[in-house]
Amino acid sequence: MNPGGGQTERDADPNKPSLRGFEVIDAAKAAVERSCPRTVSCADIVAFAARDSVGLTGSVAYQVPAGRRDGRVSNESETVDLPPPSSTAKELTDLFAAKNLTLEDMVVLSGAHTVGRSFCNSFVGRVWNQTATPPAAIVCRRLRRHSSILLAASS
């Protein structure tokens, strides 16, 4: 929500199409609000969902404290300096340093973004020779096919 009008952070170009699932968060927030109004923030719901998602992968279980507060305004302009998925390690360390964040901060924040899906075109150029045979588009199709097979096998 943006009381001042304009586009919100979640609808801004740097967050499309990577940010998804808002309908789930909105439904959870609505259900919680019906039971205990103005008690649990969307930020807490997202943190709990992230914790539960990590747990569902079979990884570590960990406690998540509650008590986060939601912002009152969301502005598209807050997304202009998000690092693009094509950033090199040097570009990322420079971007984080410009915000007074350390290499450790960068690793922790990057690790927090590793559960989920990525779009092949956001990384294939860094891991595949673009003049090679088969071309990157075929590699992306193969990756999708193999990831579908792996997901089906793990179910």
Side-chain angles (χ1 to χ4, degrees):
M1 174 191 320
N2 187 349
Q7 194 172 27
T8 63
E9 290 175 60
R10 76 183 196 182
D11 296 321
D13 285 339
N15 288 326
K16 284 186 174 180
S18 59
L19 289 182
R20 307 177 290 287
F22 290 112
E23 65 281 353
V24 175
I25 294 164
D26 293 342
K29 177 67 173 168
V32 169
E33 283 297 312
R34 283 190 296 276
S35 297
C36 45
R38 296 181 310 278
T39 303
V40 180
S41 66
C42 282
D44 275 344
I45 290 170
V46 170
F48 299 150
R51 175 206 55 206
D52 294 350
S53 297
V54 169
L56 289 170
T57 68
S59 189
V60 297
Y62 58 95
Q63 295 293 315
V64 174
R68 290 165 196 79
R69 297 179 68 182
D70 291 329
R72 296 173 188 249
V73 176
S74 176
N75 293 314
E76 174 186 26
S77 62
E78 299 294 326
T79 66
V80 295
D81 59 353
L82 290 176
S86 58
S87 298
T88 65
K90 172 79 170 109
E91 291 167 340
L92 286 170
T93 54
D94 290 347
L95 284 166
F96 276 74
K99 294 184 175 295
N100 294 318
L101 295 169
T102 66
L103 183 60
E104 182 178 349
D105 296 330
M106 183 182 84
V107 170
V108 169
L109 286 167
S110 297
H113 288 80
T114 60
V115 175
R117 292 191 306 192
S118 181
F119 295 93
C120 188
N121 64 354
S122 70
F123 65 84
V124 73
R126 292 179 286 164
V127 298
W128 192 262
N129 178 346
Q130 297 301 300
T131 61
T133 302
I138 293 172
V139 173
C140 285
R141 282 196 297 275
R142 287 180 182 167
L143 285 170
R144 277 194 300 275
R145 184 175 67 241
H146 290 295
S147 65
S148 297
I149 292 167
L150 289 172
L151 287 173
S154 67
S155 305

